[in-house]
Amino acid sequence: MKTNRLIPYENIKLLREIAHVKTEINELYKQTGPGSSDYISLSIRLDLLMKEYIEDKIAHL
């Protein structure tokens, strides 16, 4: 008997963007530290992307 497996919804584009921003933040932290305006801007962007990801996951429950 064949069973259907439920594959969770994933927004791959959003996950890739989150990973990219995290990589940029890590590199920027190594170069300038946490006080630079670019680092702060990327941190805010990452926070917004993470909130979008969580809202997206909740919407697809």
Side-chain angles (χ1 to χ4, degrees), residues 9-53:
Y9 169 81
E10 286 296 340
N11 186 339
I12 300 301
K13 182 179 175 186
L14 184 57
L15 286 174
R16 285 184 180 147
E17 190 172 355
I18 288 170
H20 177 72
V21 171
K22 285 179 106 175
T23 302
E24 286 184 35
I25 285 176
N26 287 336
E27 289 301 317
L28 198 55
Y29 183 84
K30 291 176 188 176
Q31 295 171 6
T32 63
S36 73
S37 61
D38 290 336
Y39 180 86
I40 293 169
S41 295
L42 281 175
S43 294
I44 292 169
R45 177 153 174 73
L46 180 61
D47 185 52
L48 293 172
L49 289 171
M50 293 297 289
K51 285 181 182 179
E52 182 181 344
Y53 176 77

